[in-house]
């Protein structure tokens, strides 16, 4: 076809426009052919020998029971890894040392080390967006060198960190005051998704740390994420615009929810204090400084980050560092960055068998792709970590919920995992029944040695924290070992109740024990999970750093928004939707116009 077109063009004496078109068509054709060739030649991980070997190994593992595996002390000892105060115990996984060797071979086949190095070297591993993935640079010390596009990005990172330090000190000390001369003691951070969940997790965790409490005395940090007007009301109820600073956090500065919420709070401020007050009461965090200025925020009061920081990996950029520094002071937040950096160093340098994020990632792959357990429960025995699971849910599910390989080849296996969780012991009184006797859900138990706020009641056998941790230690064994009908018989349990009271056991979990929950350890925990998720994506051979799956819903919402406007303002009929949506929209419009 192309050749025919070429001949026809020649026949027409090749006018210049045809030449350009021909050149363009040839290039697209070559590009398309290259793509097909690339797709055809790309090897999926499931076609490699280590993957097939692990598939065969499943039968062998299915014959074992954790009750027996747990009695092998040497095995258990080999499945404990310690780094910088954190202890990982993965002896309650349905895995032997042989399984682990096979998983290391899988990592080799996936070129895991090479992929980690490429990430740290600033290569554009987010190929569908042509971007580097350098959240590690956000916590690098001043003297480190990490390149993107041949340029060391660490000085730029520190330029913004220094600006945040200075700005937050000005606000906290009261040298920057609001339009009416009052100290800005309250902050509302407006943002959604990655521009919200990470900062919320860290804030919730620091909020009960005694050192952080001292630094935050007299100050409040709130978040506004949902476009639901109720969230707006909740975020400003009881706040005085005169003493409030609004931080608009959006990587793109185009996210519909965030922009509407930002306009709503701009209105709140200008109605109360006059339009000129916005300059004193609103600042921004974004990669899009042009749109920040268009919105009416002085670019001097904007804190930049870069397109090599993915939204869900942005808590260590100004996205998290600014609101958290305003609340706790920069020095507390710096400790959080140092904790994350400690794990970054461990991740890039430790061998697979000693590398906590690599081990966690490989075990997830084992559970999801080989043992067929698609979900994972994240169970911190720490109320301060109540927002950890929601944050990891986004990092993991937005990163790894993909259906094609990084080369665009449909995956013949399911990637990604379903993450959910609640702090213990609350979860025990909610969904643990299913975990113990219903579906098999691998669990991450996260415990802390020293409570942020210990309580010792006179006359009690153990402290309140010991009580909490008793459950942290007991639950993994209940899942792994279970309880047999024979044991129940010996306990004289009524025969008809024996099936109901039997626990099959053999349910996998792992335990992470942190020394305490200060800013540094919170940073470590964050980085462990960020890297674990990257490991999973690297092994599955997907792009963990794009998120095209969120686009379709957004564009359909735009269509609905236009329709709602047209129907309400111009009485235009509902058009272009299927029967179901038309019916629902009609009901909504009729009922809400009463
Ligand atoms: O939900 C999709 C998403 O793009 C996330 O990846 C991102 O964190 C969030 O929206 C918010 O985006 P932004 O920071 O650009 O407002």
């Amino acid at each position: 076809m192309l050749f025919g077109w070429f001949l026809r063009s020649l026949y027409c004496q090749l006018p210049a426009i045809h030449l350009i078109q021909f050149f363009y068509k040839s290039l697209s054709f070559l590009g398309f052919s290259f793509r097909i060739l690339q797709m055809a030649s790309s090897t999926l991980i499931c076609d490699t020998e280590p993957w097939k070997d692990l598939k065969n190994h499943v039968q062998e593992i299915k014959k074992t029971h954790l009750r027996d595996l747990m009695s092998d002390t040497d095995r258990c000892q080999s499945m404990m890894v310690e780094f910088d105060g954190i202890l990982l115990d993965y002896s309650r996984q349905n895995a032997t040392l042989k399984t682990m060797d096979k998983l290391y071979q899988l990592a080799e086949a996936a070129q895991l080390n090479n992929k980690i190095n490429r990430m740290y070297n600033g290569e554009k591993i987010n190929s569908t967006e042509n971007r580097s993935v350098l959240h590690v640079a956000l916590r690098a010390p001043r003297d480190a060198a990490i390149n993107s596009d041949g340029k060391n990005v660490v000085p730029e990172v520190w330029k913004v960190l220094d600006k945040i330090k200075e700005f937050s000190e000005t606000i906290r000390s009261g040298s920057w005051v609001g339009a009416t001369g009052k100290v800005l003691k309250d902050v509302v951070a407006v943002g959604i998704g990655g521009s919200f969940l990470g900062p919320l997790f860290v804030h919730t965790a620091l909020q009960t740390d005694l050192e952080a409490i001292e630094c935050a005395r007299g100050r409040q940090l709130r978040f506004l994420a949902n476009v639901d007007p109720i969230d707006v009301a909740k975020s400003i109820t009881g706040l005085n615009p005169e003493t409030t600073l609004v931080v608009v956090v959006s990587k793109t500065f185009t996210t519909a929810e965030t922009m509407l919420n930002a306009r709503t709070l701009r209105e709140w401020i200008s109605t109360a204090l006059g339009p000129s007050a916005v300059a004193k009461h609103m600042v921004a965090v974004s990669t899009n400084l042009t749109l920040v200025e268009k919105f009416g925020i002085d670019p001097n009061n904007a804190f930049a980050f870069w397109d090599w920081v993915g939204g869900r990996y942005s808590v260590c950029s100004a996205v998290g560092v600014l609101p958290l520094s305003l609340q706790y002071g920069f020095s507390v937040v710096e400790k959080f960055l140092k904790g994350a950096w400690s794990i970054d160093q461990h991740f890039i340098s430790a061998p697979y068998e000693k590398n906590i994020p690599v081990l966690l990632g490989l075990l997830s792959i084992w559970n999801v792709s080989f043992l067929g357990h698609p979900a994972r429960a994240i169970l911190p025995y720490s109320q301060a970590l109540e927002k950890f699971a929601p944050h990891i849910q986004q990092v993991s599910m937005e990163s790894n919920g993909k259906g094609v390989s990084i080369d665009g080849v449909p995956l013949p296996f399911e990637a990604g995992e379903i993450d959910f969780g609640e702090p213990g012991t609350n979860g025990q009184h909610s969904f643990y029944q299913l975990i113990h006797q219903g579906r098999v859900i691998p669990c991450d138990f996260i415990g802390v040695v020293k409570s942020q706020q210990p309580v010792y009641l006179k006359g009690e056998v153990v402290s309140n924290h010991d009580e909490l941790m008793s459950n942290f230690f007991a639950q993994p064994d209940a899942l792994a070992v279970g309880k047999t009908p024979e044991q129940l018989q010996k306990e004289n349990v009524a025969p008809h109740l024996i099936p109901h009271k039997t626990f099959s056991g053999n349910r996998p979990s792992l335990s992470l024990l942190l020394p305490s929950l200060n800013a540094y350890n919170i940073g470590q925990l964050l980085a462990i999970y960020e890297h674990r998720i990257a490991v999973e994506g690297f092994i599955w051979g997907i792009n963990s750093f794009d998120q095209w799956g969120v686009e379709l819903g957004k564009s359909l919402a735009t269509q609905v928004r236009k329709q709602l406007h047209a129907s309400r303002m111009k009485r235009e009929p509902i058009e272009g939707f299927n029967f179901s949506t038309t019916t629902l929209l009609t009901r909504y419009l009729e009922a809400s116009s009463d």
Side-chain angles (χ1 to χ4, degrees):
M1 209 174 84
L2 191 77
F3 190 58
W5 186 83
F6 174 63
L7 285 180
R8 272 199 308 281
S9 300
L10 272 182
Y11 189 70
C12 299
Q13 294 167 357
L14 291 178
I17 186 82
H18 280 203
L19 254 181
I20 293 166
Q21 279 179 356
F22 170 73
F23 195 62
Y24 176 76
K25 284 198 176 183
S26 307
L27 279 182
S28 344
F29 178 74
L30 285 176
F32 178 69
S33 315
F34 176 71
R35 199 76 214 97
I36 299 277
L37 276 176
Q38 196 186 14
M39 279 167 67
S41 64
S42 80
T43 312
L44 293 175
I45 190 67
C46 57
D47 296 329
T48 62
E49 283 312 313
W51 182 281
K52 291 176 194 163
D53 190 28
L54 277 160
K55 278 275 172 205
N56 293 332
H57 179 61
V58 169
Q59 288 319 314
E60 197 179 324
I61 285 299
K62 287 221 159 131
K63 288 184 206 142
T64 63
H65 193 289
L66 276 172
R67 211 175 283 141
D68 304 317
L69 293 180
M70 291 302 293
S71 60
D72 179 348
T73 312
D74 288 343
R75 169 189 168 276
C76 294
Q77 203 164 19
S78 309
M79 292 188 165
M80 296 208 179
V81 175
E82 205 166 350
F83 175 73
D84 197 10
I86 295 184
L87 177 65
L88 163 67
D89 171 8
Y90 63 95
S91 59
R92 290 181 193 79
Q93 289 288 313
N94 299 112
T96 59
L97 297 180
K98 200 164 143 191
T99 318
M100 297 314 295
D101 279 339
K102 290 178 189 297
L103 286 169
Y104 303 142
Q105 283 167 31
L106 184 72
E108 278 305 295
Q111 304 191 336
L112 178 62
N113 267 336
N114 177 37
K115 288 177 181 170
I116 297 172
N117 286 329
R118 289 182 62 209
M119 177 167 93
Y120 277 62
N121 289 337
E123 286 185 42
K124 300 206 166 166
I125 61 168
N126 176 359
S127 50
T128 58
E129 295 181 316
N130 196 29
R131 288 175 181 169
S132 311
V133 176
L134 278 181
H135 43 280
V136 290
L138 300 170
R139 42 252 192 164
R142 257 178 223 279
D143 55 0
I146 298 179
N147 289 337
S148 170
D149 279 329
K151 187 176 153 216
N152 181 10
V153 296
V154 178
E156 279 181 67
V157 168
W158 274 94
K159 204 170 151 196
V160 176
L161 289 177
D162 287 338
K163 185 174 167 179
I164 293 176
K165 181 171 188 249
E166 197 190 322
F167 178 74
S168 55
E169 277 165 12
T170 330
I171 295 279
R172 288 167 57 82
S173 65
S175 28
W176 169 305
V177 288
T180 57
K182 293 196 173 147
V183 173
L184 300 177
K185 61 182 185 53
D186 304 316
V187 170
V188 181
V190 183
I192 199 163
S195 295
F196 158 61
L197 289 161
L200 176 71
F201 141 59
V202 181
H203 171 54
T204 312
L206 284 175
Q207 212 171 17
T208 39
D209 173 64
L210 290 175
E211 186 198 339
I213 290 176
E214 208 39 58
C215 300
R217 206 161 283 288
R219 305 196 59 83
Q220 273 191 77
L221 171 59
R222 297 192 188 178
F223 293 88
L224 168 55
N226 201 333
V227 75
D228 184 339
I230 291 301
D231 211 22
V232 178
K234 275 173 71 180
S235 74
I236 53 174
T237 297
L239 292 189
N240 177 356
E242 290 181 283
T243 56
T244 303
L245 178 72
V246 174
V247 183
V248 184
V249 187
S250 174
K251 180 174 170 180
T252 54
F253 231 69
T254 58
T255 303
E257 297 95 319
T258 300
M259 297 327 296
L260 181 53
N261 279 336
R263 291 194 294 276
T264 309
L265 291 204
R266 185 177 60 188
E267 185 78 10
W268 177 65
I269 288 165
S270 48
T271 307
L273 310 171
S276 62
V278 169
K280 285 275 176 194
H281 291 261
M282 284 187 99
V283 299
V285 176
S286 185
T287 57
N288 196 335
L289 300 183
T290 314
L291 288 186
V292 169
E293 194 172 2
K294 264 196 188 156
F295 180 87
I297 291 176
D298 182 349
N300 292 322
N301 301 334
F303 298 82
F305 66 114
W306 307 271
D307 69 4
W308 42 261
V309 183
R312 53 194 173 273
Y313 296 93
S314 66
V315 57
C316 296
S317 73
V319 166
V321 175
L322 178 63
L324 294 165
S325 296
L326 288 164
Q327 179 67 3
Y328 300 104
F330 183 77
S331 63
V332 170
V333 184
E334 206 176 359
K335 288 180 193 157
F336 160 71
L337 298 178
K338 282 188 178 155
W341 178 249
S342 148
I343 296 296
D344 295 339
Q345 293 308 288
H346 167 68
F347 180 49
I348 184 96
S349 58
Y352 294 154
E353 64 278 10
K354 296 267 172 240
N355 192 317
I356 294 178
V358 168
L359 287 165
L360 295 184
L362 289 175
L363 291 167
S364 284
I365 296 276
W366 173 237
N367 284 319
V368 175
S369 296
F370 297 94
L371 299 182
H373 308 317
R376 173 177 62 200
I378 299 170
L379 309 169
Y381 277 66
S382 161
Q383 195 59 30
L385 290 175
E386 71 175 309
K387 295 295 177 192
F388 183 58
H391 175 53
I392 295 308
Q393 202 170 46
Q394 191 215 8
V395 182
S396 167
M397 292 167 81
E398 197 166 89
S399 296
N400 290 341
K402 308 286 162 67
V404 295
S405 77
I406 194 157
D407 295 324
V409 181
L411 295 175
F413 56 85
E414 282 181 306
E417 66 197 354
I418 304 153
D419 295 272
F420 70 100
E422 274 292 320
T425 61
N426 291 11
Q428 292 177 197
H429 302 274
S430 165
F431 52 81
Y432 276 40
Q433 165 67 44
L434 179 139
I435 291 177
H436 281 288
Q437 288 186 315
R439 291 170 186 270
V440 176
I441 299 190
C443 298
D444 290 359
F445 289 96
I446 302 168
V448 179
V449 174
K450 283 194 191 132
S451 171
Q452 286 178 319
Q453 298 191 31
V455 173
Y456 303 91
L457 285 184
K458 266 194 206 143
E460 293 292 329
V461 185
V462 294
S463 71
N464 295 33
H465 186 65
D466 284 344
E467 176 61 33
L468 172 74
M469 291 302 283
S470 303
N471 290 276
F472 166 83
F473 294 114
Q475 289 290 335
D477 274 335
L479 287 167
V481 180
K483 194 160 191 180
T484 62
E486 294 73 36
Q487 286 172 299
L488 291 163
Q489 265 161 11
K490 277 193 194 143
E491 289 173 11
N492 293 327
V493 171
H496 73 282
L497 285 180
I498 287 183
H500 299 280
K501 292 194 163 194
T502 299
F503 290 77
S504 64
N506 207 26
R507 290 160 188 261
S509 70
L510 56 85
S511 305
L512 270 174
L513 192 57
L514 311 184
S516 57
L517 200 62
N518 54 28
Y520 184 86
N521 306 132
I522 296 165
Q524 288 179 306
L525 187 63
L526 170 84
I528 286 176
Y529 273 76
E530 283 181 345
H531 295 323
R532 169 202 209 159
I533 289 157
V535 167
E536 293 175 55
F538 287 151
I539 304 271
W540 277 319
I542 57 178
N543 183 355
S544 299
F545 305 105
D546 63 11
Q547 57 286 318
W548 299 107
V550 301
E551 295 304 325
L552 182 58
K554 284 186 193 171
S555 67
L556 292 182
T558 304
Q559 198 188 331
V560 176
R561 192 180 302 123
K562 277 189 193 146
Q563 179 69 61
L564 288 178
H565 181 77
S567 298
R568 282 202 208 285
M569 298 300 156
K570 302 181 213 153
R571 305 250 158 239
E572 282 181 17
I574 296 173
E575 263 173 6
F577 298 92
N578 58 31
F579 175 79
S580 162
T581 309
T582 305
T583 310
L584 291 168
L585 277 174
T586 308
R587 167 70 65 90
Y588 176 72
L589 281 164
E590 281 170 8
S592 60
S593 61
D594 292 346

